Each structure stands twice: as structure tokens, then as C-alpha cells.
Amino acid sequence: MIIGVGIDVAEIERFGAALERTPQLADRLFVGSELTLPSGERRGVASLAARFAAKEALAKALGAPGGLLWSDAEVWVEESGQPRLRVTGTVAARAAELGVRSWHVSLSHDAGVASAVVIAEG
């Protein structure tokens, strides 16, 4: 059963400018593993914008309650390239309240825009 669906978009250039203006912003929005590629290189702005959009979409799928922490949601990628969500703390607590058992996430970025869709399934 679908419990919630969220979608979000982020303008890549605007998101990158925000990261440049406020260097500590990346540490507030992302866990360490989200900031780097498996090779250890720093993840690009388009990829980070898509991950931010996923976190926004995740909040919407949960009904956008206050009090969720950005660092309590992590976007990670399987070896196959499939993005996945890992939730802890405040996000996991809200998901448990709603009966969420699994997540589906899709990320994309093109033409200056990053987007994400998240489906919460119970």
C-alpha cells in the first residue's frame, strides 16, 4: 500500500550558489557518504541537488511534518546504480508512525534542474 508520494525539483545553479555562499550548508544537509563518490572524489553539484530534492520529496511523502533532520535521511546507491534511502532518527520515527516499510526513490538532473520522486510504501 502506498502511504505517501513526494516530488521535488532544485535548480542546480541556485543550489550550487547556496553551497558556495554557506560552506557549512553541505554538512547540515548531507551525511558524509553523500558528499563523495565511491572513488572518493567530491560529488558534483547536480548530484547533490538531486539528493537534496530527494530529501525534500521524502519529507513530502511523510506529510511534511516539522522537526525532521536532514541528516536523518541518506541517499545511497547500490552497485547496480539504483538509488536507495536510509532513514534514521526523526525520519525513521515518522515513517514508523505511518507504517512505512519500504522506500522507492528516483533521481534525475538535466537542463539545469535536479528532480526526485519518493514513494513511501507500507
Short mmCIF file of all heavy atoms in Angstrom, two decimals, residues 30-65:
data_model
loop_
_atom_site.label_atom_id
_atom_site.label_comp_id
_atom_site.label_asym_id
_atom_site.label_seq_id
_atom_site.Cartn_x
_atom_site.Cartn_y
_atom_site.Cartn_z
N PHE A 30 23.69 16.98 4.33
CA PHE A 30 24.10 15.65 3.89
C PHE A 30 24.96 14.94 4.93
O PHE A 30 25.69 15.58 5.68
CB PHE A 30 24.92 15.76 2.59
CG PHE A 30 24.19 16.47 1.49
CD1 PHE A 30 24.55 17.75 1.12
CD2 PHE A 30 23.14 15.87 0.83
CE1 PHE A 30 23.88 18.43 0.10
CE2 PHE A 30 22.46 16.52 -0.19
CZ PHE A 30 22.82 17.81 -0.55
N VAL A 31 24.89 13.62 4.92
CA VAL A 31 25.83 12.83 5.70
C VAL A 31 27.09 12.69 4.85
O VAL A 31 27.05 12.84 3.63
CB VAL A 31 25.25 11.46 6.12
CG1 VAL A 31 24.03 11.63 7.00
CG2 VAL A 31 24.93 10.60 4.94
N GLY A 32 28.20 12.37 5.48
CA GLY A 32 29.49 12.34 4.79
C GLY A 32 29.52 11.49 3.53
O GLY A 32 30.09 11.89 2.52
N SER A 33 28.90 10.33 3.57
CA SER A 33 28.94 9.44 2.41
C SER A 33 28.21 10.02 1.20
O SER A 33 28.48 9.63 0.06
CB SER A 33 28.34 8.08 2.77
OG SER A 33 26.99 8.24 3.16
N GLU A 34 27.28 10.95 1.42
CA GLU A 34 26.56 11.56 0.30
C GLU A 34 27.41 12.59 -0.43
O GLU A 34 27.14 12.92 -1.58
CB GLU A 34 25.28 12.24 0.79
CG GLU A 34 24.23 11.28 1.27
CD GLU A 34 23.02 11.98 1.83
OE1 GLU A 34 23.17 12.78 2.79
OE2 GLU A 34 21.92 11.73 1.33
N LEU A 35 28.43 13.10 0.23
CA LEU A 35 29.26 14.16 -0.34
C LEU A 35 30.33 13.66 -1.29
O LEU A 35 30.91 14.45 -2.03
CB LEU A 35 29.90 14.98 0.79
CG LEU A 35 28.92 15.76 1.66
CD1 LEU A 35 29.64 16.36 2.86
CD2 LEU A 35 28.21 16.83 0.86
N THR A 36 30.59 12.36 -1.25
CA THR A 36 31.66 11.82 -2.08
C THR A 36 31.17 10.65 -2.93
O THR A 36 30.23 9.95 -2.58
CB THR A 36 32.85 11.33 -1.22
OG1 THR A 36 32.37 10.36 -0.30
CG2 THR A 36 33.51 12.47 -0.48
N LEU A 37 31.84 10.46 -4.04
CA LEU A 37 31.59 9.32 -4.92
C LEU A 37 32.31 8.10 -4.36
O LEU A 37 33.22 8.25 -3.52
CB LEU A 37 32.11 9.63 -6.32
CG LEU A 37 31.42 10.77 -7.05
CD1 LEU A 37 32.24 11.19 -8.28
CD2 LEU A 37 30.02 10.38 -7.44
N PRO A 38 31.97 6.90 -4.79
CA PRO A 38 32.69 5.71 -4.31
C PRO A 38 34.20 5.81 -4.52
O PRO A 38 34.98 5.24 -3.76
CB PRO A 38 32.08 4.58 -5.15
CG PRO A 38 30.71 5.06 -5.47
CD PRO A 38 30.85 6.55 -5.66
N SER A 39 34.64 6.57 -5.52
CA SER A 39 36.07 6.74 -5.80
C SER A 39 36.75 7.66 -4.79
O SER A 39 37.96 7.76 -4.76
CB SER A 39 36.25 7.33 -7.20
OG SER A 39 35.71 8.65 -7.24
N GLY A 40 35.93 8.36 -3.97
CA GLY A 40 36.49 9.29 -3.01
C GLY A 40 36.47 10.73 -3.48
O GLY A 40 36.72 11.65 -2.71
N GLU A 41 36.17 10.93 -4.76
CA GLU A 41 36.07 12.30 -5.29
C GLU A 41 34.83 12.98 -4.74
O GLU A 41 33.84 12.33 -4.42
CB GLU A 41 35.97 12.28 -6.81
CG GLU A 41 37.19 11.78 -7.52
CD GLU A 41 36.94 11.73 -9.03
OE1 GLU A 41 36.79 12.81 -9.62
OE2 GLU A 41 36.90 10.62 -9.57
N ARG A 42 34.89 14.31 -4.68
CA ARG A 42 33.74 15.10 -4.23
C ARG A 42 32.61 14.97 -5.25
O ARG A 42 32.83 15.06 -6.45
CB ARG A 42 34.14 16.57 -4.08
CG ARG A 42 33.00 17.46 -3.64
CD ARG A 42 33.30 18.04 -2.30
NE ARG A 42 32.29 19.00 -1.94
CZ ARG A 42 31.72 19.01 -0.75
NH1 ARG A 42 32.10 18.15 0.15
NH2 ARG A 42 30.82 19.90 -0.46
N ARG A 43 31.41 14.74 -4.78
CA ARG A 43 30.24 14.62 -5.65
C ARG A 43 29.92 15.98 -6.27
O ARG A 43 30.06 17.01 -5.63
CB ARG A 43 29.05 14.12 -4.83
CG ARG A 43 27.86 13.70 -5.65
CD ARG A 43 26.79 13.06 -4.78
NE ARG A 43 27.18 11.80 -4.19
CZ ARG A 43 27.19 10.63 -4.81
NH1 ARG A 43 26.84 10.56 -6.07
NH2 ARG A 43 27.54 9.53 -4.18
N GLY A 44 29.50 16.00 -7.52
CA GLY A 44 29.17 17.23 -8.24
C GLY A 44 27.90 17.88 -7.73
O GLY A 44 27.07 17.27 -7.07
N VAL A 45 27.75 19.16 -8.06
CA VAL A 45 26.61 19.96 -7.59
C VAL A 45 25.29 19.38 -8.10
O VAL A 45 24.31 19.33 -7.36
CB VAL A 45 26.77 21.44 -8.01
CG1 VAL A 45 25.52 22.23 -7.68
CG2 VAL A 45 27.97 22.06 -7.34
N ALA A 46 25.23 18.93 -9.35
CA ALA A 46 23.98 18.38 -9.88
C ALA A 46 23.54 17.16 -9.08
O ALA A 46 22.35 17.00 -8.76
CB ALA A 46 24.14 18.03 -11.36
N SER A 47 24.48 16.31 -8.74
CA SER A 47 24.18 15.11 -7.96
C SER A 47 23.73 15.47 -6.54
O SER A 47 22.79 14.88 -6.00
CB SER A 47 25.41 14.21 -7.92
OG SER A 47 25.15 13.05 -7.19
N LEU A 48 24.38 16.47 -5.95
CA LEU A 48 23.97 16.91 -4.61
C LEU A 48 22.59 17.55 -4.65
O LEU A 48 21.77 17.33 -3.75
CB LEU A 48 24.99 17.88 -4.03
CG LEU A 48 26.34 17.28 -3.63
CD1 LEU A 48 27.30 18.38 -3.18
CD2 LEU A 48 26.17 16.23 -2.55
N ALA A 49 22.32 18.32 -5.69
CA ALA A 49 20.99 18.94 -5.82
C ALA A 49 19.91 17.87 -5.93
O ALA A 49 18.82 18.01 -5.35
CB ALA A 49 20.97 19.88 -7.02
N ALA A 50 20.19 16.79 -6.66
CA ALA A 50 19.22 15.69 -6.77
C ALA A 50 19.00 15.03 -5.42
O ALA A 50 17.87 14.67 -5.07
CB ALA A 50 19.69 14.67 -7.80
N ARG A 51 20.05 14.88 -4.63
CA ARG A 51 19.92 14.30 -3.31
C ARG A 51 19.13 15.21 -2.37
O ARG A 51 18.33 14.75 -1.57
CB ARG A 51 21.30 13.97 -2.72
CG ARG A 51 21.83 12.67 -3.30
CD ARG A 51 23.33 12.53 -3.23
NE ARG A 51 23.71 11.19 -3.65
CZ ARG A 51 23.61 10.73 -4.91
NH1 ARG A 51 23.17 11.51 -5.87
NH2 ARG A 51 23.96 9.50 -5.21
N PHE A 52 19.35 16.51 -2.50
CA PHE A 52 18.56 17.47 -1.72
C PHE A 52 17.08 17.37 -2.12
O PHE A 52 16.20 17.34 -1.26
CB PHE A 52 19.08 18.89 -1.92
CG PHE A 52 18.25 19.91 -1.22
CD1 PHE A 52 18.25 20.01 0.17
CD2 PHE A 52 17.43 20.78 -1.93
CE1 PHE A 52 17.46 20.95 0.82
CE2 PHE A 52 16.65 21.71 -1.30
CZ PHE A 52 16.66 21.79 0.09
N ALA A 53 16.81 17.29 -3.41
CA ALA A 53 15.43 17.15 -3.88
C ALA A 53 14.81 15.87 -3.33
O ALA A 53 13.62 15.85 -2.97
CB ALA A 53 15.39 17.16 -5.42
N ALA A 54 15.60 14.80 -3.23
CA ALA A 54 15.09 13.55 -2.67
C ALA A 54 14.70 13.72 -1.20
O ALA A 54 13.68 13.17 -0.75
CB ALA A 54 16.13 12.44 -2.82
N LYS A 55 15.49 14.47 -0.46
CA LYS A 55 15.16 14.69 0.95
C LYS A 55 13.90 15.52 1.09
O LYS A 55 13.07 15.27 1.96
CB LYS A 55 16.35 15.32 1.67
CG LYS A 55 17.53 14.35 1.77
CD LYS A 55 18.72 14.96 2.45
CE LYS A 55 19.89 13.99 2.41
NZ LYS A 55 20.68 14.00 3.63
N GLU A 56 13.74 16.51 0.23
CA GLU A 56 12.50 17.31 0.21
C GLU A 56 11.32 16.42 -0.16
O GLU A 56 10.25 16.51 0.44
CB GLU A 56 12.64 18.46 -0.78
CG GLU A 56 13.55 19.58 -0.31
CD GLU A 56 12.85 20.55 0.63
OE1 GLU A 56 11.61 20.61 0.65
OE2 GLU A 56 13.57 21.27 1.35
N ALA A 57 11.48 15.59 -1.18
CA ALA A 57 10.41 14.69 -1.62
C ALA A 57 10.07 13.68 -0.51
O ALA A 57 8.89 13.35 -0.30
CB ALA A 57 10.82 13.97 -2.90
N LEU A 58 11.07 13.21 0.19
CA LEU A 58 10.87 12.30 1.31
C LEU A 58 10.00 12.96 2.38
O LEU A 58 9.04 12.36 2.88
CB LEU A 58 12.22 11.89 1.89
CG LEU A 58 12.23 11.13 3.20
CD1 LEU A 58 11.54 9.79 3.06
CD2 LEU A 58 13.66 10.94 3.67
N ALA A 59 10.32 14.20 2.74
CA ALA A 59 9.53 14.93 3.73
C ALA A 59 8.07 15.06 3.27
O ALA A 59 7.14 14.87 4.06
CB ALA A 59 10.14 16.30 3.99
N LYS A 60 7.87 15.34 1.99
CA LYS A 60 6.51 15.46 1.46
C LYS A 60 5.79 14.12 1.52
O LYS A 60 4.60 14.07 1.84
CB LYS A 60 6.56 15.98 0.03
CG LYS A 60 7.02 17.43 -0.05
CD LYS A 60 7.22 17.88 -1.48
CE LYS A 60 7.75 19.31 -1.52
NZ LYS A 60 8.04 19.74 -2.90
N ALA A 61 6.48 13.04 1.23
CA ALA A 61 5.87 11.71 1.30
C ALA A 61 5.44 11.37 2.72
O ALA A 61 4.51 10.58 2.92
CB ALA A 61 6.83 10.65 0.76
N LEU A 62 6.09 11.98 3.70
CA LEU A 62 5.76 11.75 5.11
C LEU A 62 4.77 12.79 5.65
O LEU A 62 4.52 12.84 6.85
CB LEU A 62 7.03 11.76 5.96
CG LEU A 62 8.01 10.61 5.72
CD1 LEU A 62 9.27 10.81 6.55
CD2 LEU A 62 7.35 9.27 6.03
N GLY A 63 4.23 13.63 4.77
CA GLY A 63 3.27 14.64 5.20
C GLY A 63 3.90 15.94 5.62
O GLY A 63 3.24 16.80 6.19
N ALA A 64 5.18 16.11 5.36
CA ALA A 64 5.94 17.33 5.65
C ALA A 64 5.79 17.82 7.10
O ALA A 64 5.53 19.00 7.34
CB ALA A 64 5.57 18.44 4.66
N PRO A 65 5.97 16.92 8.07
CA PRO A 65 5.89 17.37 9.46
C PRO A 65 7.13 18.18 9.84
O PRO A 65 8.18 18.03 9.24
CB PRO A 65 5.86 16.05 10.24
CG PRO A 65 6.67 15.13 9.39
CD PRO A 65 6.33 15.52 7.97
#
